[in-house]
Amino acid sequence: MAPKRGISFSRSRSSSGKLSSSSSSSSSHFPVLAFVILCVMAPMIFFLGRGLYAADQDDFSAVPSNQVVTWRGWQALQNLKSFFPKEVLDVIVSSTNDTGPLSLDNFRKNNMSASWRVVELETSNATNEPKTDDRQEKPKLKDGKSSADGRTRWIDSPTQQARRQLIGKRRERRAAELVKLNDELIAKLENSAIERSKSVESAVLGKYSIWRKEVEYENADSTVRLMRDQNIMARVYLSIAKMKNKLELFQELQTRLKESKRALGDATSDADLNRSAHEKIKAMGQVLSKAREQLYDCKLVSGKLRAMLQTADEHVRSFKKQSTFLSQLAAKTIPNGIHCLSMRLTIDYYLLPPEKRKFPGSENLEDPSLYHYALFSDNVLAASVVVNSTITNAKDPSKHVFHLVTDKLNFGAMNMWFLLNPPGKATIHVENVDEFKWLNSSYCPVLRQLESATMREYYFKAGHPNTLSSGASNLKYRNPKYLSMLNHLRFYLPQVYPKLDKILFLDDDIVVQKDLTGLWAVNLQGKVNGAVETCGASFHRFDKYLNFSNPHIARNFDPNACGWAYGMNIFDLKEWKKKDITGIYHKWQNMNEDRVLWKLGTLPPGLMTFYGLTHPLNKSWHVLGLGYNPSVDRSEIDSAAVVHYNGNMKPWLEIAMTKYRSYWSKYVKYDHPYLRNCKLHE
């Protein structure tokens, strides 16, 4: 008969396997009630640990084995929960699930009393030798087999082994999830740190350099602003002290205010302040504290600050008007150096004998197979840059022909410059607009309008403003370029060059950076004008230039039509003649005699004249804005075929934007004797 196993908890080992104690029962530390309960529940503890209850199988032979196991497991679990602490149950479950029967080592590992241990009870001849862990000393045997000593060794069944493997896999999967969660958390924290770092003012950090004399900090003007704030409050209390007849305080405030202003001076940063500034701040703070105690009145102080704010606002508006006036004045004037250059060249030209005043290559002037350029200018230096930059970037300069037209004041200077500085193998010809006899007031509406009394009153008198601010807008309309026929000559190209088929029109404030011969190959698709469009989402459209409250404008044009730019335009003169472009221009110019359609300039009549007759070119041909826009993309400038300094800040003026000047100045011959004598330099 196979030996029957059981579990006994004992203080000391006995041959019978029953609970005994090394001392008398009266001195036992274990309660009798606990002993009884444990003896009763011992079989159930074993059943819970192993998942099997082999005893008394015959009593349940009539009941399905799975139901018996389920019922006994549930009953044992309920009884154990009511009698045992949670710590004991955790040890029993963990030990039996993973290591089989209970052993003394399990209790020792869980810091339980060493007097508690587990022994095996055998119905056969049991020995009193100490029990060892058979699982560690002998190899595992198959379920139901006996070892050499006759004992049955409890081994995991295939189901339990599979369950243990699943538990291991779940643990590995959970560990991987935790690692992944940790990585995601770290990445989230890193991204958050990066986002926070973007909020730091990079402009200030980017300026830092160990080679600078002083390092720029984000709050480099904090002391300056503090002094300015103190001065404002001192002025407020100064006014109130005078009002309340606090003469002593008034004099003290006045003295400190003068000292503070003297210490502040024109400083814009803390590095510009005098060493005594901090002493002045301290002294001013003391007198302001004193004034606050004696004079503070919320209503009075707020009223004084409001009045000061209004005065400051009026000053700002006045300065803006003055700035506009001065910029317009600077834009219409000629720098001394350029005026000097023109005068010197003119004198030397008329000293030349007539035979030396002619340019070579006159046979190319009417050859339609060559590349012809029209340039109308009264600025010698600007015209020289246009010609020089075009020839420098041309693939074959010998095929390029430049037609220059200027006024009689600059005719000699323009001729003399290009006689001294011929454009290589290219052909050049200079004409005087005043010698175009066909361009008279009977033919040209602009000339006729300029001769009228109302136009002279509008352009030349303009109300005779007595102040800079009031004359700013009038000065804009009285810019000489709007009165010069050189500006309106662009509408008479077929009359000026009757033998040519195509011509490229260039303004004198442009710089050529690439070969332009590709423009002659552009298919204009029956249009007359090839130009780069300038409209954006809501600007540079027709409604910006034309008066759409006028019925003639509203009836004939779309206010949202896209505008385009003068400055670099390829004109098909054959189509021009077919469509009578000059006649269309005359029609609109005659209708605008009272300036009811547009106010000034040649772009509005150009938009009207070439409406529906303009072919849009790729924007890389012509980049604008270098004369007014400080934020033109540098990459667009570098890749452009032509850059245009449209606006008041021309590159030859002192008000030019220095960041764009180099594109123009590199084509100026500053080492030329005429330029050195007139003190023209970079």
Side-chain angles (χ1 to χ4, degrees):
M1 182 176 176
K4 183 178 290 187
R5 302 186 64 187
I7 298 177
S8 174
F9 295 85
S10 66
R11 288 284 189 176
S12 62
R13 188 68 179 268
S14 66
S15 60
S16 63
K18 295 180 180 180
L19 181 64
S20 64
S21 176
S22 58
S23 61
S24 63
S25 61
S26 61
S27 61
S28 174
H29 298 288
F30 188 79
V32 176
L33 181 60
F35 162 70
V36 176
I37 294 173
L38 289 175
C39 290
V40 174
M41 299 303 297
M44 296 183 182
I45 297 172
F46 172 74
F47 168 79
L48 179 64
R50 298 293 303 167
L52 297 172
Y53 190 63
D56 299 325
Q57 292 290 338
D58 297 336
D59 298 337
F60 296 91
S61 58
V63 183
S65 60
N66 59 343
Q67 295 182 12
V68 172
V69 171
T70 303
W71 178 82
R72 288 188 177 277
W74 177 84
Q75 185 181 37
L77 183 60
Q78 298 302 318
N79 292 332
L80 284 174
K81 286 183 178 180
S82 63
F83 287 106
F84 286 91
K86 185 177 183 300
E87 291 80 6
V88 175
L89 290 176
D90 291 342
V91 171
I92 294 172
V93 173
S94 62
S95 299
T96 55
N97 279 347
D98 296 333
T99 60
L102 297 176
S103 66
L104 183 60
D105 293 336
N106 298 122
F107 288 87
R108 286 176 176 170
K109 289 178 183 178
N110 291 276
N111 297 321
M112 298 185 67
S113 173
S115 64
W116 291 88
R117 55 187 176 176
V118 181
V119 295
E120 293 185 358
L121 299 180
E122 300 179 3
T123 56
S124 62
N125 297 328
T127 64
N128 293 331
E129 298 177 2
K131 186 68 177 154
T132 58
D133 192 351
D134 294 330
R135 291 179 296 103
Q136 298 179 1
E137 296 180 358
K138 295 185 180 181
K140 291 183 179 181
L141 303 177
K142 294 182 180 180
D143 192 17
K145 300 293 182 179
S146 299
S147 61
D149 58 1
R151 297 178 181 178
T152 301
R153 301 302 178 193
W154 292 93
I155 347 176
D156 292 339
S157 65
T159 302
Q160 290 176 316
Q161 291 177 358
R163 184 171 58 188
R164 187 176 293 107
Q165 291 176 359
L166 290 175
I167 292 173
K169 291 180 180 179
R170 283 199 300 269
R171 289 175 178 171
E172 293 177 358
R173 188 162 55 250
R174 179 57 179 166
E177 291 176 355
L178 291 174
V179 171
K180 182 179 178 181
L181 182 63
N182 185 56
D183 293 340
E184 292 176 352
L185 181 60
I186 292 174
K188 185 177 180 180
L189 291 174
E190 290 176 350
N191 293 334
S192 178
I194 292 172
E195 291 299 324
R196 286 196 301 271
S197 68
K198 290 180 180 179
S199 63
V200 179
E201 181 55 54
S202 58
V204 175
L205 296 177
K207 293 179 180 178
Y208 177 79
S209 172
I210 60 174
W211 303 108
R212 290 178 60 115
K213 292 183 179 180
E214 71 270 352
V215 180
E216 295 187 20
Y217 296 98
E218 187 174 1
N219 296 320
D221 62 342
S222 58
T223 306
V224 172
R225 287 187 280 112
L226 174 60
M227 295 184 71
R228 289 173 179 168
D229 291 343
Q230 284 186 334
N231 291 346
I232 291 172
M233 292 308 302
R235 290 168 56 193
V236 171
Y237 286 127
L238 195 66
S239 177
I240 297 176
K242 186 177 181 180
M243 182 189 306
K244 294 188 175 183
N245 202 25
K246 300 283 187 178
L247 299 180
E248 183 179 350
L249 184 57
F250 176 83
Q251 292 177 356
E252 190 175 358
L253 281 167
Q254 196 172 40
T255 302
R256 296 304 181 192
L257 183 59
K258 289 180 180 178
E259 292 177 354
S260 181
K261 287 182 176 180
R262 192 179 302 112
L264 183 60
D266 297 327
T268 56
S269 65
D270 296 350
D272 301 331
L273 291 174
N274 192 281
R275 294 181 180 179
S276 63
H278 292 283
E279 298 177 1
K280 305 300 181 186
I281 291 174
K282 184 177 180 180
M284 178 64 84
Q286 292 173 352
V287 72
L288 286 176
S289 178
K290 182 179 178 181
R292 178 181 176 84
E293 293 176 358
Q294 298 183 23
L295 303 175
Y296 184 76
D297 184 310
C298 183
K299 186 176 181 180
L300 276 176
V301 171
S302 60
K304 293 293 182 183
L305 289 173
R306 192 179 299 109
M308 291 172 63
L309 180 62
Q310 185 176 358
T311 303
D313 187 54
E314 292 175 357
H315 285 319
V316 169
R317 285 199 296 268
S318 176
F319 288 144
K320 283 184 176 180
K321 291 180 179 179
Q322 185 175 1
S323 176
T324 302
F325 175 86
L326 293 175
S327 64
Q328 296 291 343
L329 183 64
K332 77 173 229 177
T333 55
I334 300 175
N336 289 336
I338 296 179
H339 180 71
C340 167
L341 176 64
S342 180
M343 293 299 100
R344 287 178 178 269
L345 289 170
T346 300
I347 292 171
D348 291 345
Y349 175 76
Y350 287 108
L351 293 176
L352 289 176
E355 62 272 12
K356 291 185 178 181
R357 299 179 186 177
K358 295 181 180 180
F359 291 99
S362 57
E363 66 280 1
N364 296 328
L365 297 178
E366 295 181 348
D367 187 350
S369 64
L370 302 178
Y371 305 111
H372 294 264
Y373 300 84
L375 176 60
F376 308 146
S377 174
D378 57 359
N379 189 324
V380 177
L381 192 62
S384 70
V385 170
V386 175
V387 174
N388 190 23
S389 62
T390 305
I391 295 303
T392 301
N393 294 284
K395 295 179 180 179
D396 187 0
S398 63
K399 295 183 178 180
H400 295 257
V401 181
F402 293 90
H403 302 266
L404 270 69
V405 179
T406 187
D407 54 20
K408 60 183 178 182
L409 293 177
N410 295 280
F411 178 74
M414 200 74 72
N415 276 280
M416 188 64 187
W417 176 263
F418 288 106
L419 286 171
L420 295 173
N421 305 278
K425 296 180 180 180
T427 302
I428 193 164
H429 181 61
V430 180
E431 295 181 273
N432 181 2
V433 68
D434 296 306
E435 295 180 357
F436 294 163
K437 302 303 180 183
W438 52 269
L439 198 62
N440 50 56
S441 58
S442 61
Y443 175 68
C444 178
V446 172
L447 287 175
R448 183 175 66 253
Q449 291 168 7
L450 288 175
E451 293 176 357
S452 66
T454 56
M455 190 66 73
R456 286 198 300 269
E457 177 74 18
Y458 178 75
Y459 277 110
F460 296 104
K461 292 184 180 180
H464 298 287
N466 297 320
T467 62
L468 292 177
S469 58
S470 62
S473 59
N474 288 320
L475 186 65
K476 179 179 180 180
Y477 297 124
R478 285 155 45 195
N479 194 314
K481 73 176 184 178
Y482 300 125
L483 309 178
S484 173
M485 273 309 300
L486 288 176
N487 204 37
H488 293 266
L489 194 60
R490 64 192 68 191
F491 294 103
Y492 300 96
L493 290 176
Q495 288 80 1
V496 181
Y497 311 109
K499 300 290 184 67
L500 301 181
D501 297 334
K502 277 189 176 183
I503 195 166
L504 183 64
F505 172 79
L506 298 176
D507 272 343
D508 62 357
D509 55 352
I510 62 100
V511 175
V512 178
Q513 300 186 128
K514 294 182 180 180
D515 182 73
L516 300 180
T517 55
L519 288 169
W520 275 263
V522 173
N523 182 8
L524 298 181
Q525 301 177 1
K527 305 295 178 63
V528 179
N529 175 27
V532 170
E533 293 183 335
T534 58
C535 60
S538 61
F539 55 91
H540 288 181
R541 297 185 180 272
F542 272 43
D543 58 353
K544 174 182 174 62
Y545 306 99
L546 305 177
N547 177 21
F548 273 86
S549 63
N550 185 282
H552 296 289
I553 298 296
R555 186 168 52 250
N556 290 281
F557 303 101
D558 178 8
N560 294 317
C562 190
W564 46 268
Y566 268 126
M568 189 215 70
N569 307 78
I570 184 73
F571 290 111
D572 187 334
L573 300 184
K574 287 185 176 180
E575 291 295 329
W576 184 307
K577 296 172 185 176
K578 289 180 182 178
K579 295 179 171 58
D580 190 20
I581 297 299
T582 304
I584 297 174
Y585 163 70
H586 284 173
K587 168 192 169 183
W588 291 114
Q589 192 68 51
N590 285 324
M591 294 176 64
N592 194 48
E593 187 167 358
D594 296 329
R595 300 173 304 282
V596 294
L597 305 184
W598 71 90
K599 285 190 175 182
L600 74 166
T602 55
L603 182 56
L607 295 175
M608 301 167 70
T609 301
F610 294 101
Y611 183 66
L613 300 173
T614 300
H615 176 75
L617 299 176
N618 189 290
K619 292 185 182 298
S620 63
W621 281 111
H622 188 191
V623 170
L624 300 100
L626 278 67
Y628 72 91
N629 184 7
S631 58
V632 180
D633 191 340
R634 188 60 66 101
S635 62
E636 292 183 2
I637 297 175
D638 294 336
S639 62
V642 171
V643 292
H644 195 171
Y645 292 84
N646 57 313
N648 288 334
M649 301 179 185
K650 303 300 183 186
W652 55 83
L653 299 176
E654 291 184 2
I655 61 174
M657 285 183 278
T658 55
K659 63 187 295 186
Y660 302 141
R661 192 193 294 269
S662 61
Y663 293 98
W664 184 84
S665 60
K666 67 180 179 180
Y667 293 106
V668 179
K669 298 179 180 180
Y670 286 107
D671 58 344
H672 197 281
Y674 279 89
L675 271 63
R676 290 203 306 268
N677 292 335
C678 291
K679 298 181 181 180
L680 286 168
H681 48 78
E682 292 187 77

